[in-house]
């Protein structure tokens, strides 16, 4: 099992994920405000992830697990960054998640992309309904059709993926 948890009365207490959820929640808030995820927040998250992992899994195994969890999203998602399909902050945020969950980052990434798909479908449905009900001007409709004009805050999808991961442990 990639994650450490305690069992009490059939209930799982996943205490080590609380700093991760707090860090990613702050990243989502700043992403919605400024379309940026601060590097200082990423650095704090990485330090927390390595520290928690070292305490929970033991010093050599925990640090190695965190390192693997950090490198995997960067290597896999770098191509999406190059074609501007994913921002660097989103990849760094997934690296922070990897520092906490180790090789569980594969599941977090899958859940995050599924959450991103759901968010995108909801956004498209909203746009479609607004265009049908003529709540948008014609200029807004033509702007929507241009590629790259509408973006989604993927950090929210990452938070959704992490929360779902936490519930499946």
């Amino acid at each position: 099992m990639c994650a450490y948890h305690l069992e009490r009365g059939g209930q799982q207490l996943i205490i080590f994920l609380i700093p991760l959820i707090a860090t990613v929640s702050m990243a989502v808030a700043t992403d919605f405000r400024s379309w940026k995820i601060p590097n200082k927040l990423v650095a704090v998250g990485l330090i927390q992830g390595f520290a928690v992992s070292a305490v929970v899994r033991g010093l050599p195994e925990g640090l190695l697990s965190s390192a693997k969890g950090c490198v995997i999203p960067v290597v896999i998602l770098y191509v999406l960054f190059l074609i501007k399909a994913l921002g660097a902050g989103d990849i760094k945020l997934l690296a922070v998640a990897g520092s906490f969950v180790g090789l569980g980052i594969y599941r977090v990434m899958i859940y995050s992309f599924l959450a991103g798909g759901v968010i995108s479908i909801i956004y498209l449905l909203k746009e479609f309904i607004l265009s049908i009900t003529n709540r948008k001007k014609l200029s807004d409709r033509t702007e929507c059709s241009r590629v790259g004009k509408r973006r989604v805050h993927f950090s929210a999808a990452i938070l959704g993926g992490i929360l779902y991961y936490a519930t499946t442990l």
Side-chain angles (χ1 to χ4, degrees):
M1 177 173 290
C2 293
Y4 175 81
H5 63 277
L6 302 171
E7 299 246 358
R8 283 195 188 152
Q11 191 176 31
Q12 294 180 346
L13 301 173
I14 307 167
I15 297 170
F16 80 97
L17 285 179
I18 292 172
L20 172 62
I21 293 168
T23 303
V24 174
S25 296
M26 287 187 279
V28 169
T30 57
D31 188 24
F32 271 87
R33 252 182 305 182
S34 64
W35 287 95
K36 299 226 183 268
I37 298 172
N39 286 334
K40 289 180 183 177
L41 188 60
V42 171
V44 167
L46 287 172
I47 291 168
Q48 289 175 342
F50 274 88
V52 167
S53 189
V55 168
V56 169
R57 294 182 184 102
L59 196 53
E61 296 87 14
L63 294 179
L64 184 62
S65 175
S66 287
K68 288 177 185 176
C70 287
V71 171
I72 288 170
V74 174
V75 170
I76 291 175
L77 301 176
Y78 184 68
V79 174
L80 292 178
F81 169 73
L82 289 178
I83 62 172
K84 299 187 190 286
L86 197 62
D90 300 322
I91 295 173
K92 291 185 278 186
L93 203 56
L94 282 167
V96 168
S99 71
F100 279 87
V101 300
L103 292 177
I105 192 62
Y106 288 115
R107 289 179 40 210
V108 171
M109 288 170 49
I110 291 169
Y111 299 152
S112 297
F113 278 100
L114 290 173
V118 169
I119 291 170
S120 296
I121 289 171
I122 291 169
Y123 179 77
L124 287 172
L125 285 173
K126 181 194 89 162
E127 293 291 318
F128 179 71
I129 291 170
L130 288 176
S131 68
I132 287 177
T133 59
N134 291 326
R135 303 248 186 228
K136 292 185 123 187
K137 297 177 186 174
L138 185 58
S139 63
D140 288 342
R141 284 191 222 151
T142 57
E143 182 183 328
C144 286
S145 66
R146 292 187 196 146
V147 176
K149 286 293 180 183
R150 299 288 185 207
R151 301 185 301 179
V152 174
H153 294 278
F154 193 68
S155 60
I158 294 170
L159 179 61
I162 290 167
L163 291 174
Y164 188 74
Y165 174 81
T167 62
T168 59
L169 290 179

